[in-house]
Amino acid sequence: MNRLRLLWDSSVGKKVVMAVSGLIWVAYLVTHVLANLLVFQGPGKINAYSALLRGTGGALWAPRLVLIGALVLHVIAAAQLTGRGQEARPVAYAAGRRPHASTLAARTIRWGGALILLFLVYHVLHFTVGTAHPDFVEGNPYQNVITGFRDPVVVLVYLVAMAGVGLHLYHGVWSSGRSVGISPPSPRPLRRSLALVLALLVWIGFSIIPIAVYAGLVR
Amino acid sequence: MVEYDAGDIGPDMSFLEMLDVVNERLMERGEVPIAFDHDCREGICGSCSLMINGVAHGPERGTATCQLHMRSFADGDTISVEPWRARAFPIVKDLVVDRGAFDRIIQAGGYITAPTGSARDANTILISKDTVDTAMDAAQCIACGACVAACPNGSASLFTASKITHLSLLPQGQPERYGRALRMVAQMDIEHFGGCTLYGECQEACPKEISIDTITRMNRDFLRATLSQGHGAIARAE
Ligand code: HEM
Ligand code: FES
C-alpha cells in the first residue's frame, strides 16, 4: 500500500488532503482579492493585470488545473467525511445535543462549502465565460464588473456568497493548521487570529466591490 | 422516552444517587430498575456516561456524571437522560453502552514495550517538566466516551489523541511512536467513529478538560508516519 493511498483511506489523512487543498485555494483567494481591489484605481490597472494573465496563453491553465484538482479532492473528501460523520451517529439524541464550544463558522462549514460550490459555477459563468452576464465584453473585466453589478439581485448573491466564504475561512484556516499538525499548542486552542485576519480580508475585500459599484462609487 | 418522578431529592445528592433513589422506588413497586453504568463514583474510572439535557456528563464543566450534584438543577426540573449515542457504542440496556471499541483502539497501539524483570531505578530516564506535564494532562483521560457523545461527527479523536499524546511524548513511548499513530487511527476508522472537524465540542465535554491540542499531535504523528518510510511504520501497521 503506498503512502498516498494510506493517507486517503484514513479519516485523519482525508482531513490533511482537505487542509492542503483548502490552503491552496486560500492562497488563490488572497491573490484574487488583492488583484480585484485594483478596480478602485480605474480601468487601466485591472485590465492590464487581466491582459497580463491572459497573455501567458496556455500557461494560465497550470494554476487553473491545480485549483480544479484541489477543489475536486476537497469536495470529495468533504462529502465522504460528512457521510462518515452521519453514519457514526445513526440514532440522534431525542433531547438534542447542545453545542457549547463550536463556532457558527464550524457549524456551517458544510452548508458553506455547498454554497461556495454553487457560487463558483455561477461566478465562472458570470465573469470568466460571460454566459451568465447581461453585457459581457471579452477582455474588459473593469467594464464587466461595472455592468455586472447593476442588478441588485446579483449584488445580493455575491454578498451572501462572500459571507459564506468568510465564515468557511474563519474555521478552515484555523482548523487546517491542526489537521496537518503544525499549530503550536495553545492555552486557548479555539482562539484564532491569523484565520480571523484572512477571513476578514477575503470577506470585506470581495464584498466592498459589488457594494461600491452598486452605490455608484466606481463607474 | 419514559418519564419518572423523582421526589425527595436532596441538593447534595449526586446525579447517580438520584438515579439510585429512583431505582429503589421502582423496585419497591416491583418494576424493573433503570440500567446505568457506574463504578468508582469519584470521577476516575470512566464508567458513568450520561447525556443529561443534551450535554455529556451534564451542565458542570470538568466533572463526570458521578461528580455532578443535584444542586446543579432547579427543583421541579424535568431532566432528560440519554445514553451516549454512536454507532461504535451499541446500547446494551437502557443507559448502558458497550465501549469495547475504545478497548480495541488501545489494543491497536496504546501500549509500550518494556523490559520485564527487576524494576529499574527511579529517575534513570530524565524528562523535562513541561513534557511530563503535557503527557500527564493527556494521561488523565478516563475513556468515558464523552468526547464521542458530544461530537457532531461521533468522532473518537480526542480519546485516541489523548492516548497517543500521553505515550508519544514520553521516552518510553518512542519505539512504537509512529506505528502507534497509524494503527490507532486505523482502528478508530474501523470502529466507525466519524472524522474530526475540530468543532471543539469534545474538549468542552471532557470531564478531564483534555485539550484538542492532543488532536494536533495525533495528526502530526500520523502524517509523519505516513510520509516517512524511514520508521518502517507503514509495514508494521499492515
Ligand atoms: C474557495 C474555496 C474553498 C476554500 C478556500 C476552502 C477552504 C477550506 C479549508 C482551509 C478547510 C479546513 C480543512 C481542515 O480543517 O483541515 C475547509 C474545510 C471544509 N470545506 Fe472547504 N474550502 C473551499 C471550498 C469548499 C467547497 C466547494 C466545499 C464543498 C462542497 C467545501 C467543504 C468543506 C467542508 C465540509 C469542510 C470541513 C471538513 C471537515 O472537517 O469535516 N469547501 N475548507
Ligand atoms: S463512576 Fe467512575 S468516573 Fe463516574
Side-chain angles (χ1 to χ4, degrees), chain B residues 14-15 41-44 48 62-69 207-208:
Chain B
S14 78
F15 200 84
R41 298 205 176 199
E42 52 181 327
I44 53 173
C48 57
T63 49
T65 297
C66 57
Q67 299 166 295
L68 176 68
H69 291 92
K208 301 299 161 188

Side-chain angles (χ1 to χ4, degrees), chain B residues 16 37-49 57 64-67 142:
Chain B
L16 298 185
D37 253 333
H38 60 100
D39 188 18
C40 72
R41 298 205 176 199
E42 52 181 327
I44 53 173
C45 74
S47 298
C48 57
S49 52
H57 290 306
T65 297
C66 57
Q67 299 166 295
I142 53 176

Side-chain angles (χ1 to χ4, degrees), chain A residues 15 18-19 22 25 74 78 109-110 113 117 168-169 172 175-176 179, chain B residues 197:
Chain A
K15 274 306 294 277
M18 291 203 71
W25 272 83
H74 193 85
I109 195 85
R110 288 166 186 164
L117 194 58
H168 204 81
L169 293 198
S175 70
S176 50
S179 296
Chain B
T197 299

Side-chain angles (χ1 to χ4, degrees), chain A:
Chain A
M1 190 160 64
N2 72 39
R3 286 173 263 185
L4 289 178
R5 186 82 233 173
L6 194 68
L7 205 63
W8 184 251
D9 282 346
S10 148
S11 61
V12 171
K14 276 205 207 314
K15 274 306 294 277
V16 172
V17 172
M18 291 203 71
V20 173
S21 55
L23 290 176
I24 289 173
W25 272 83
V26 172
Y28 163 72
L29 288 185
V30 170
T31 328
H32 190 24
V33 75
L34 294 176
N36 284 6
L37 291 173
L38 291 175
V39 294
F40 290 107
Q41 300 188 15
K45 287 250 168 82
I46 190 156
N47 283 355
Y49 176 70
S50 158
L52 180 80
L53 288 184
R54 279 158 202 276
T56 55
L60 195 56
W61 275 101
R64 277 178 177 167
L65 286 177
V66 170
L67 286 173
I68 293 169
L71 187 67
V72 168
L73 289 175
H74 193 85
V75 172
I76 294 176
Q80 292 177 339
L81 287 172
T82 303
R84 255 199 99 83
Q86 283 165 352
E87 283 163 22
R89 178 163 300 124
V91 180
Y93 289 106
R97 191 188 44 75
R98 281 229 308 271
H100 286 275
S102 50
T103 58
L104 176 70
R107 293 200 292 270
T108 56
I109 195 85
R110 288 166 186 164
W111 290 109
L115 178 74
I116 294 171
L117 194 58
L118 289 177
F119 171 76
L120 276 176
V121 175
Y122 168 67
H123 180 57
V124 168
L125 295 179
H126 190 212
F127 280 139
T128 309
V129 183
T131 46
H133 194 287
D135 201 4
F136 192 73
V137 184
E138 183 79 44
N140 192 347
Y142 186 83
Q143 187 61 33
N144 291 336
V145 167
I146 304 297
T147 49
F149 289 138
R150 275 197 191 130
D151 185 346
V153 178
V154 175
V155 171
L156 197 69
V157 167
Y158 272 79
L159 291 183
V160 170
M162 290 312 108
V165 172
L167 275 177
H168 204 81
L169 293 198
Y170 182 64
H171 182 73
V173 170
W174 166 80
S175 70
S176 50
R178 295 190 169 263
S179 296
V180 298
I182 55 171
S183 305
S186 159
R188 287 171 58 200
L190 291 169
R191 239 193 43 199
R192 58 203 79 175
S193 20
L194 179 63
L196 177 64
V197 170
L198 284 182
L200 285 177
L201 170 72
V202 169
W203 174 49
I204 297 174
F206 278 131
S207 298
I208 53 172
I209 297 170
I211 293 173
V213 171
Y214 190 69
L217 300 174
V218 178
R219 49 183 96 220

